[in-house]
Amino acid sequence: MKIEKFARFEVDPSTVFQLPERCGVYLLKDAQGKVIYVGKAKNIQKRVRAHLQNDATFFKKEMRERIALIQSILTKDENEALLLEEELIKVHKPLFNIRLKDDKSYPYLKFEREGDFPAVKIARKKTGGDGLYFGPFANSKKTREGLKVLRSIFLLRGCSLDEKNFPIKRPCLDYEIGLCSAPCAGLISKEEYQKNLHNAFLFLNGDYQRVLEQLEREMWRRAEKWEFEKAARYRNQIDAVKRIASRYRLVLDESIDADFVGVELAREARLASIVILKVRKGKLINSENFLATVSSFETEEEILAQFLDMYYSGQFLPPEEICLSPEYPEHILESLRKEINLPFPIRQPQSKEEENLLSFAKENAVKSLNSERAKILRRERILQKSFLELKEVLHLDCYPERIAGVDISNFQGKEAIGVVVVFENGEPHKSEYRKFNLSGLEHPDDFLMIEETVGRYLRHITKNNLKCPNLFLIDGGRGQLTSALRAFEVVKRYIPVVAIAKENEEIYTTFQKEPIRLPLHSEALQLLQRVRNEAHRFAIASHRAKRNKRLFHSILEEVKGIGQKRKKLILSTFNNLEEIIRFDAQEISGRLGISKSLAQKLKEKVQEYFSENSGHTEPS
């Protein structure tokens, strides 16, 4: 999302009444201009004034005392405000916002809105575009498996083929293996596909009985028309839904559709665990467990308010109500209702069975938090052991808490790329990764490329006054290490540097001729391997992106009838050249809106390139 396109206003706390009374996002900044909180609101002025009230909690007082500037950004509606808020939290990582741990990896099920035959896919974040979202879900593997089951029952498409290119000559493999009804080939009507889509929504919301009733009606209707093949398809759908529905037990009265939420906080570790038990038609159909990083000032109620706002805003088919622990008195629940403005009530349990569900949610939150804390402690012990071993083995003055990994990639000297990845405390810092286009070499020369990459990176961190690594790790042997040292001599700086050769995992140093060999189970060696492998992955990916872009342009320029406009269309339609080969001319024609003869010329040109370059497609 392009943040620059929105209208902005800035005021200080004394002039808060100048803020607009409209929908949008607001950023609270401290005296240094650092963003400490990002929020969204229907009425920006009203929400910010609430933050500045004197009767606020300790958490809000702590935040209020730091506010020096308030920036507001107007949006056209609440959905756009939600998307912008998520993007700004990701960019600024504010101190007073909770953030789901590994939030990039929490998947959603996304149903596209446009067209007569919307696709369903896994989306990694709500900012993945317009659509109807279910989630987030805590387990990526189970979400992928669930999507496969959903598509196998309701035969929904999962591809990106534009409907304006329908129909195509033949359906893809998904149709053959029973995951799609092939609307792209005209094998299902719009009305029937929309019924399947509606049943999928009901199914995801746990309304299995309504799904079964509709499927059974459709099965008998088809049978009465002697359309036995279609009737059998509905019978199979009914059997599949019944098998899944039978897994879930009735825990409450059948009329209840509610989410039961349990929270556990570990303030010293700045972690919170939130468990949501989803009850639909009285059946417990799902449990989701989320871990969040929090500030040391926040209370359980404040964490809960932020999480509920984040989780339920913009959610399609939300529950009818949320049930929270009786530990939260009624005035807290009332405060939550006002603050996050959810379209459904928040209440306390009304029966012993509901209290038991909340206890179960709380127990799961406690177990999850304890497990995460144990993992963190184990990682810290391993990391400290790795640092100590590297310090001793490599004769370092301090622990290598910040390691820069260096690698290069090229194809016979062309599209050469040099990269530097940065690990801090054993974790990759992708915002600090750098890549450098290496040019001016008449022939492949790994040593010169390493020297240029290290030299340019050293000049980059010096010029921008950036934090220096404690250790440089070069992918290679003695020759690559010597090249890196020449770069240090040129810029007149010295930072400890070693090289690691992949074949025997030998470590080359500046203080001895013979390489060091650490045991394969050594945590120190495994840390160096992680840095080296990540640098190699980033170098290969950067090289391929550069090379694919050049190949796309050069090959397309050789096909008569493809100008700049069509070139852009092809680049946006296909991820790489290999994709074009996999389709026949008819399908390429349909996708691009070009004649079949031109599509055939395009495919032949791409095939010609790969036949001439077979065996030479991998970069080094």
Side-chain angles (χ1 to χ4, degrees):
M1 175 176 286
K2 298 278 187 184
I3 297 170
E4 294 80 4
K5 72 176 184 177
F6 296 97
R8 303 172 180 225
F9 300 88
E10 283 191 351
V11 301
D12 61 50
S14 64
T15 56
V16 67
F17 286 98
Q18 293 179 15
L19 285 170
E21 297 183 76
R22 288 173 55 188
C23 177
V25 174
Y26 57 93
L27 297 85
L28 308 182
K29 299 181 180 181
D30 62 17
Q32 287 73 45
K34 185 177 181 181
V35 176
I36 59 173
Y37 185 80
V38 175
K40 66 179 185 306
K42 281 185 180 178
N43 185 321
I44 293 174
Q45 184 188 122
K46 186 177 178 182
R47 177 63 64 86
V48 173
R49 283 165 55 197
H51 284 306
L52 299 175
Q53 287 175 356
N54 288 325
D55 60 347
T57 62
F58 174 74
F59 164 69
K60 287 186 177 176
K61 285 177 184 175
E62 183 74 21
M63 183 173 73
R64 187 184 68 228
E65 288 170 3
R66 299 191 187 194
I67 298 172
L69 191 66
I70 303 159
Q71 182 182 52
S72 64
I73 306 175
L74 299 180
T75 60
K76 66 181 181 183
D77 54 36
E78 289 181 80
N79 187 53
E80 197 171 69
L82 169 67
L83 300 184
L84 182 59
E85 179 195 36
E86 288 185 352
E87 184 68 20
L88 290 169
I89 290 173
K90 177 184 168 186
V91 169
H92 295 290
K93 296 181 174 56
L95 174 64
F96 292 94
N97 283 96
I98 72 163
R99 296 191 303 278
L100 297 182
K101 282 181 70 66
D102 304 320
D103 61 341
K104 287 180 183 175
S105 67
Y106 284 130
Y108 296 79
L109 286 183
K110 175 192 169 186
F111 289 82
E112 292 179 346
R113 290 180 188 270
E114 296 179 357
D116 298 328
F117 305 97
V120 57
K121 302 173 184 177
I122 287 180
R124 282 289 164 183
K125 55 185 178 179
K126 282 190 183 179
T127 48
D130 191 29
L132 304 175
Y133 286 88
F134 286 84
F137 302 101
N139 189 307
S140 299
K141 184 180 178 183
K142 287 184 179 178
T143 306
R144 287 193 296 270
E145 290 171 354
L147 176 60
K148 191 173 181 180
V149 170
L150 185 77
R151 292 185 59 206
S152 69
I153 296 173
F154 300 105
L155 304 176
L156 302 175
R157 74 187 188 103
C159 65
S160 302
L161 185 60
D162 197 316
E163 286 185 28
K164 65 186 178 186
N165 297 323
F166 291 7
I168 60 175
K169 190 175 181 181
R170 66 171 185 269
C172 68
L173 184 62
D174 280 1
Y175 172 74
E176 304 296 340
I177 62 177
L179 291 179
C180 181
S181 51
C184 59
L187 299 184
I188 186 172
S189 68
K190 171 188 170 182
E191 291 72 22
E192 193 173 351
Y193 190 91
Q194 289 291 330
K195 284 179 184 176
N196 286 349
L197 191 67
H198 177 67
N199 285 333
F201 291 158
L202 295 176
F203 177 84
L204 285 171
N205 207 37
D207 201 345
Y208 304 123
Q209 192 55 43
R210 279 180 66 190
V211 174
L212 289 170
E213 288 170 2
Q214 293 188 28
L215 290 175
E216 284 180 6
R217 273 200 306 271
E218 200 62 33
M219 178 183 73
W220 290 116
R221 190 173 73 84
R222 296 293 182 179
E224 286 170 3
K225 291 184 175 182
W226 288 33
E227 295 175 353
F228 297 119
E229 196 172 307
K230 289 184 178 179
R233 190 188 302 158
Y234 284 108
R235 179 204 61 205
N236 295 340
Q237 288 179 321
I238 290 167
D239 290 343
V241 173
K242 282 182 176 178
R243 279 197 303 273
I244 290 169
S246 66
R247 299 176 190 171
Y248 305 115
R249 62 189 179 91
L250 197 67
V251 292
L252 295 172
D253 184 271
E254 289 188 16
S255 64
I256 292 177
D257 284 8
D259 283 358
F260 293 79
V261 183
V263 181
E264 181 67 11
L265 174 64
R267 196 177 304 282
E268 77 287 351
R270 297 192 174 187
L271 281 176
S273 174
I274 303 106
V275 169
I276 301 176
L277 302 180
K278 294 178 179 287
V279 175
R280 299 295 183 268
K281 305 302 175 189
K283 288 186 176 183
L284 178 60
I285 67 165
N286 198 12
S287 170
E288 295 291 344
N289 187 351
F290 298 94
L291 287 161
T293 54
V294 299
S295 81
S296 57
F297 316 110
E298 292 172 282
T299 65
E300 205 170 284
E301 293 87 350
E302 287 158 344
I303 291 165
L304 186 60
Q306 281 200 62
F307 176 79
L308 294 179
D309 191 26
M310 181 189 301
Y311 184 82
Y312 289 105
S313 291
Q315 193 176 91
F316 185 63
L317 291 179
E320 291 180 0
E321 53 192 0
I322 294 175
C323 190
L324 298 178
S325 168
E327 296 172 5
Y328 303 120
E330 185 56 40
H331 74 272
I332 292 288
L333 299 188
E334 186 60 33
S335 174
L336 282 173
R337 293 183 195 111
K338 287 180 180 178
E339 185 167 341
I340 57 182
N341 193 31
L342 293 175
F344 43 83
I346 301 173
R347 63 172 176 82
Q348 292 182 330
Q350 297 172 350
S351 67
K352 186 67 177 174
E353 290 80 9
E354 291 188 347
E355 287 180 8
N356 290 339
L357 277 174
L358 286 168
S359 296
F360 181 56
K362 180 79 169 179
E363 285 172 22
N364 276 279
V366 171
K367 286 178 183 176
S368 173
L369 198 59
N370 290 338
S371 174
E372 182 65 19
R373 290 167 75 183
K375 284 181 190 175
I376 290 170
L377 288 173
R378 182 173 175 273
R379 281 198 299 266
E380 287 176 350
R381 282 198 299 269
I382 289 173
L383 193 60
Q384 290 306 309
K385 187 179 176 183
S386 304
F387 287 162
L388 180 61
E389 187 177 358
L390 286 173
K391 183 175 182 287
E392 291 175 352
V393 169
L394 302 180
H395 299 181
L396 303 175
D397 295 330
C398 62
Y399 284 165
E401 295 175 346
R402 188 176 173 86
I403 302 174
V406 180
D407 197 9
I408 57 167
S409 182
N410 67 95
F411 177 61
Q412 299 175 354
K414 298 176 181 177
E415 286 91 35
I417 287 275
V419 303
V420 179
V421 301
V422 176
F423 274 57
E424 189 151 356
N425 291 320
E427 297 295 328
H429 272 220
K430 295 195 175 182
S431 63
E432 297 189 49
Y433 285 16
R434 289 294 175 269
K435 56 187 176 184
F436 304 98
N437 290 317
L438 308 176
S439 56
L441 298 173
E442 296 179 0
H443 54 84
D445 190 326
D446 287 5
F447 302 134
L448 280 176
M449 285 190 271
I450 287 286
E451 183 180 346
E452 182 179 344
T453 301
V454 174
R456 288 174 66 178
Y457 182 71
L458 288 171
R459 288 191 290 275
H460 165 73
I461 61 175
T462 303
K463 179 183 176 182
N464 295 287
N465 198 26
L466 300 176
K467 192 175 178 183
C468 283
N470 306 118
L471 177 68
F472 269 84
L473 179 68
I474 312 299
D475 185 4
R478 176 68 64 188
Q480 282 81 2
L481 176 62
T482 304
S483 300
L485 289 171
R486 283 200 298 268
F488 283 102
E489 290 170 7
V490 170
V491 297
K492 300 202 168 29
R493 291 189 70 168
Y494 180 72
I495 299 166
V497 56
V498 298
I500 181 168
K502 193 168 188 178
E503 187 174 352
N504 297 309
E505 303 296 2
E506 295 175 328
I507 302 169
Y508 291 85
T509 68
T510 57
F511 56 82
Q512 67 180 52
K513 288 184 179 180
E514 293 302 314
I516 297 169
R517 283 196 181 184
L518 296 176
L520 292 178
H521 62 267
S522 161
E523 275 98 2
L525 176 62
Q526 290 169 9
L527 174 58
L528 295 181
Q529 287 172 327
R530 284 203 306 275
V531 177
R532 187 266 315 279
N533 294 344
E534 174 63 3
H536 187 67
R537 180 205 65 78
F538 186 49
I540 292 286
S542 301
H543 167 83
R544 281 181 176 155
K546 183 180 178 183
R547 185 172 168 225
N548 277 338
K549 188 174 180 180
R550 183 188 65 81
L551 288 176
F552 249 131
H553 282 282
S554 63
I555 291 173
L556 296 181
E557 282 169 3
E558 295 177 24
V559 182
K560 282 189 177 181
I562 294 189
Q564 288 301 317
K565 192 174 180 181
R566 282 178 173 167
K567 191 187 291 184
K568 286 180 183 177
L569 177 61
I570 294 169
L571 290 170
S572 63
T573 304
F574 298 101
N575 293 319
N576 53 55
L577 293 170
E578 289 91 333
E579 272 195 10
I580 295 175
I581 297 176
R582 290 201 291 268
F583 293 99
D584 62 26
Q586 178 70 35
E587 289 167 278
I588 296 170
S589 171
R591 282 190 167 214
L592 299 175
I594 60 178
S595 68
K596 187 177 177 181
S597 61
L598 183 55
Q600 186 62 39
K601 284 181 188 176
L602 173 62
K603 181 172 180 176
E604 287 172 359
K605 178 56 71 175
V606 175
Q607 285 175 326
E608 180 187 326
Y609 168 80
F610 279 107
S611 63
E612 289 175 357
N613 292 275
S614 59
H616 303 283
T617 58
E618 284 302 310
S620 61

